[in-house]
Amino acid sequence: MVFPEPRSTENYAMKNPAIASDLSQLSLCFFIKLVQDQGDQIFVSYATKHQDNDMIIEIYPTQTYFYVGNELFRFTSTNLYDDTWQHVCLTWGNTQGVTKLYKDGQFTGQETNLATKNYALKAGGSLVLGQEQDSVGGGFDRDQTLHGRLASVNMWDKVLSESDIAAQYTNCSVPHGSVINWSAFKNLTHGSVTVEEP
């Protein structure tokens, strides 16, 4: 899936409603290719009527921000801006409020935010690729628009093991997610976003 220049609030893919039941843990895995760009870019956002920042992945040149329930997990020294395809997985569980980041099949670090302990992402919200939602399904900001390519975006209602994540990278293939399935997004694009089949 290609998110082209110029960056525009018209370019996104949206599934609404996206999640059928509340999530107390999750894994989100995908392939991404980003060119050098200015500022931050939103890869994915999930908004509900209760919380417009229920889940966000925001990518900067030298760090990746992951929000759950509007609470921040900050991963530094994770450069995704090198114009090559990279495999990324994020996991989160509310038992300890821990998120882990994996890049190209390798564990790169974990962060704890106790404010997410016992939290649950609410069902029935809107999941958008390429934009940050300030309201359910809208409130986009051009300066946060994604410019790059995505593939195999999938999400599960469990924390995947390190071996499962490593296998995704080794096999260059992400299995279908139990919560979000990549194939569903291919017909849900807007604006100038295009889908390229391999």
Side-chain angles (χ1 to χ4, degrees), residues 27-138:
S27 297
L28 181 65
C29 297
F30 53 94
F31 286 93
I32 190 165
K33 182 179 182 181
L34 294 174
V35 296
Q36 289 292 338
D37 211 331
Q38 66 281 358
D40 60 325
Q41 297 190 64
I42 301 296
F43 155 62
V44 64
S45 63
Y46 179 70
T48 69
K49 62 183 180 181
H50 307 287
Q51 174 60 261
D52 60 0
N53 293 330
D54 218 16
M55 183 185 68
I56 296 174
I57 298 177
E58 187 172 14
I59 301 169
Y60 290 85
T62 58
Q63 51 193 347
T64 300
Y65 289 2
F66 181 51
Y67 292 87
V68 173
N70 204 31
E71 297 293 336
L72 173 63
F73 297 87
R74 181 184 289 114
F75 293 92
T76 57
S77 301
T78 306
N79 182 16
L80 299 177
Y81 283 85
D82 65 357
D83 202 22
T84 62
W85 281 104
Q86 298 184 65
H87 176 253
V88 179
C89 285
L90 283 151
T91 67
W92 166 77
N94 75 355
T95 306
Q96 301 295 329
V98 172
T99 287
K100 294 181 180 180
L101 175 66
Y102 299 81
K103 178 182 170 185
D104 292 340
Q106 300 293 313
F107 171 73
T108 62
Q110 75 177 40
E111 295 292 329
T112 301
N113 188 326
L114 294 177
T116 68
K117 196 172 176 182
N118 300 319
Y119 185 76
L121 270 70
K122 300 298 182 204
S126 170
L127 191 138
V128 173
L129 301 179
Q131 302 282 350
E132 194 266 327
Q133 302 172 79
D134 286 331
S135 60
V136 176

Side-chain angles (χ1 to χ4, degrees), residues 15 18-19 127 153-156 176-182 185:
K15 188 170 186 340
I19 296 176
L127 191 138
V153 180
N154 288 276
M155 188 163 77
W156 296 261
H176 293 308
S178 58
V179 177
I180 298 294
N181 187 324
W182 172 240
F185 281 98

